């Protein structure tokens, strides 16, 4: 027979208290937690008080106007997330056994993947109307932080870091192209040398962007440095800046949509281009994927790949 799991505290605290506490810790606010859980603020305060009595230590401390988690509060937050996540997974599995696909999918993607991820998700939601999804769009650096903190179910990123902690599968090609305004003297020229591109003013994505990483690696490989005239944190802003003759740029072809060239933008024929980057889908190694996350992974590999592929020009 299995031994009982000894937990003194299990007799004194409730799952509801943990849920309230986790919401406060996530929002950094009692009011926002109360709103999210449809509770009144006195109820929320009461639940925290009872939880603190069960733990025997304060979970929050107030410094000035801000509220912080104490050390034991931090530790409890970790445990509470783990417990609530296990329960949510169980709920989805039980629903699956009843023949229902219901539950929640949390997907986080890098900014450039926003050109195909919503379309892929849209079809998935039509197929499984009982599943609700949240999509977080952020840059590479922030996405890797979210991943380290286990904030989502699945992640889409270009060129993930080699780490034993992360599990990634290639998903889709992500070609990177050199963009210029349509009336640029290099537009229409054949086999332009990388050195020629390095002489033009260049518009670069912000530090922390995966696209920027690819561009830096490309120039470094050729022993060149781009003449950065401007840094911008958005692909759309960069396309506008290129159209405004502020410089050339290198972006994912996904940013151009399904047109071979994005309107008045020209894709330059530079030696070595398009750079063959790749989209990957992954999760922290050892993470127990929910039945919904596993369903989405399967869908991504089949229909989802076709839909994403159709959003980009050949
Ligand atoms: P970015 O990411 O949107 O942060 O540039 C693209 C990538 O990871 O390849």
């Amino acid at each position: 027979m299995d031994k009982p799991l000894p937990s003194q505290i299990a007799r004194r605290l409730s799952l509801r208290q943990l849920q309230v506490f986790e919401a406060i810790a996530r929002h950094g606010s009692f009011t926002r937690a109360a709103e999210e859980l449809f509770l009144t603020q006195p109820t929320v305060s009461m639940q925290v008080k009872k939880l603190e009595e069960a733990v025997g230590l304060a979970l929050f401390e107030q410094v000035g106007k801000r509220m912080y988690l104490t050390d034991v509060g931090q530790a409890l937050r970790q445990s509470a997330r783990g417990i609530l996540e296990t329960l949510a997974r169980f709920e989805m599995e039980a629903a699956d056994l009843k023949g229902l696909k219901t539950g929640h999918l949390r997907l986080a993607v890098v900014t450039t993947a926003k050109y195909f991820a919503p379309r892929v998700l849209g079809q998935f939601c039509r197929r499984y109307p009982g599943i609700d999804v949240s999509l977080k769009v952020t840059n590479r650096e922030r996405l890797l932080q979210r991943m380290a903190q286990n904030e989502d179910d699945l992640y889409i990123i270009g060129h993930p870091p080699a780490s034993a902690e992360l599990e990634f599968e290639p998903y889709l090609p992500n070609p990177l192209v050199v963009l210029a305004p349509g009336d640029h003297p290099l537009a229409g020229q054949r086999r332009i040398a990388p050195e020629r591109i390095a002489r033009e003013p260049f518009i670069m994505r912000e530090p922390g962007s995966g696209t920027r990483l690819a561009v830096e690696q490309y120039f470094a490989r050729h022993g060149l440095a781009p003449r950065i005239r401007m840094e911008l944190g958005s692909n759309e802003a960069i396309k506008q800046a290129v159209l405004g003759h502020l410089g050339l740029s290198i972006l994912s072809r996904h940013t151009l949509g399904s047109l071979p060239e994005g309107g008045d933008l020209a894709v330059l024929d530079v030696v070595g281009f398009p750079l063959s980057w790749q989209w990957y889908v992954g999760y922290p190694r050892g993470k127990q994927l929910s039945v919904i996350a596993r369903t989405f992974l399967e869908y991504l590999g089949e229909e989802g790949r076709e839909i994403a592929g159709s959003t980009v020009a050949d």
Side-chain angles (χ1 to χ4, degrees), residues 110-112 139-140 157-158 174 205 208-211 277 279:
V110 284
T111 14
T112 306
N139 81 11
R140 174 189 178 86
I157 188 172
N174 175 22
R205 279 282 305 270
S209 140
T211 306
W277 270 47
W279 292 115

Side-chain angles (χ1 to χ4, degrees), residues 282-303:
Y283 47 89
R285 185 164 306 226
K287 181 176 174 75
Q288 303 227 27
L289 292 183
S290 71
V291 60
I292 304 297
R294 290 200 304 269
T295 309
F296 185 68
L297 265 184
E298 267 167 40
Y299 159 85
L300 264 190
E302 299 157 8
E303 200 176 339

Side-chain angles (χ1 to χ4, degrees), residues 85-106 124 128 130-133 153-154 287-300:
E85 222 176 274
T86 305
L87 264 184
R89 238 185 0 253
F90 163 73
E91 257 177 71
M92 294 186 232
E93 237 138 76
D96 194 42
L97 288 172
K98 288 187 221 152
L100 298 167
K101 285 265 190 272
T102 61
H104 196 85
L105 174 74
R106 293 162 305 174
F124 182 71
Y128 302 106
I131 296 179
D132 64 303
V133 295
D153 295 310
L154 294 171
K287 181 176 174 75
Q288 303 227 27
L289 292 183
S290 71
V291 60
I292 304 297
R294 290 200 304 269
T295 309
F296 185 68
L297 265 184
E298 267 167 40
Y299 159 85
L300 264 190

Side-chain angles (χ1 to χ4, degrees), residues 2-310:
D2 284 344
K3 289 220 183 95
L5 294 167
S7 167
Q8 296 299 320
I9 207 167
R11 275 189 261 153
R12 280 181 279 137
L13 56 72
S14 74
L15 286 171
R16 186 60 163 167
Q17 286 161 8
L18 284 184
Q19 192 182 31
V20 167
F21 165 74
E22 193 278 331
I24 301 169
R26 187 160 27 86
H27 289 295
S29 149
F30 278 56
T31 315
R32 293 238 289 280
E35 278 166 14
E36 179 182 288
L37 297 169
F38 302 107
L39 295 173
T40 63
Q41 208 162 333
T43 309
V44 164
S45 304
M46 179 55 73
Q47 298 279 16
V48 171
K49 192 160 166 276
K50 286 199 188 138
L51 189 57
E52 286 183 327
E53 278 166 15
V55 173
L57 290 166
L59 299 171
F60 296 101
E61 59 195 357
Q62 185 99 22
V63 180
K65 280 210 165 122
R66 286 202 56 185
M67 198 185 57
Y68 295 90
L69 283 173
T70 57
D71 287 348
V72 70
Q74 301 268 18
L76 184 62
R77 181 184 185 188
Q78 285 276 18
S79 301
R81 277 187 72 92
I83 292 166
L84 294 169
E85 222 176 274
T86 305
L87 264 184
R89 238 185 0 253
F90 163 73
E91 257 177 71
M92 294 186 232
E93 237 138 76
D96 194 42
L97 288 172
K98 288 187 221 152
L100 298 167
K101 285 265 190 272
T102 61
H104 196 85
L105 174 74
R106 293 162 305 174
L107 179 68
V109 306
V110 284
T111 14
T112 306
K114 76 169 181 212
Y115 293 94
F116 63 83
R119 202 104 49 104
V120 171
L121 272 178
Q123 179 60 23
F124 182 71
C125 291
R126 273 195 293 283
R127 164 94 65 88
Y128 302 106
I131 296 179
D132 64 303
V133 295
S134 60
L135 174 65
K136 179 81 198 164
V137 181
T138 183
N139 81 11
R140 174 189 178 86
E141 196 169 282
R142 184 66 198 105
L143 183 121
L144 291 172
Q145 282 166 10
R146 289 183 71 88
M147 208 166 172
Q149 284 160 13
N150 193 19
E151 290 187 39
D152 315 273
D153 295 310
L154 294 171
Y155 301 83
I156 296 181
I157 188 172
H159 216 72
S163 157
E165 310 283 299
L166 308 175
E167 181 106 25
F168 273 102
E169 290 259 327
Y171 168 47
L172 197 74
N174 175 22
L176 301 186
V177 293
V178 185
L179 297 177
D183 56 359
H184 193 279
L186 291 176
Q189 287 196 23
R190 305 273 301 149
R191 301 192 53 76
I192 304 163
E195 292 73 14
R196 178 69 191 82
I197 297 301
R199 289 211 299 275
E200 293 286 317
F202 195 85
I203 307 165
M204 187 68 124
R205 279 282 305 270
E206 80 287 4
S209 140
T211 306
R212 179 185 179 116
L213 196 70
V215 172
E216 286 174 346
Q217 284 182 5
Y218 168 77
F219 281 112
R221 229 179 13 252
H222 288 84
L224 298 167
R227 282 181 49 209
I228 300 176
R229 179 180 217 177
M230 186 184 266
E231 278 185 7
L232 290 172
S234 124
N235 293 318
E236 287 305 305
I238 289 185
K239 285 195 293 181
Q240 292 305 323
V242 171
L243 283 172
H245 295 85
L246 287 166
L248 306 185
S249 194
I250 297 175
L251 292 181
S252 164
R253 194 183 269 155
H254 283 277
T255 64
L256 301 180
S258 50
L259 298 170
E261 300 193 356
D264 293 331
L265 286 172
V267 173
L268 298 186
D269 178 12
V270 179
V271 175
F273 277 85
L275 298 182
S276 345
W277 270 47
Q278 181 90 22
W279 292 115
Y280 289 78
V281 55
Y283 47 89
R285 185 164 306 226
K287 181 176 174 75
Q288 303 227 27
L289 292 183
S290 71
V291 60
I292 304 297
R294 290 200 304 269
T295 309
F296 185 68
L297 265 184
E298 267 167 40
Y299 159 85
L300 264 190
E302 299 157 8
E303 200 176 339
R305 183 171 284 141
E306 250 169 65
I307 296 172
S310 70

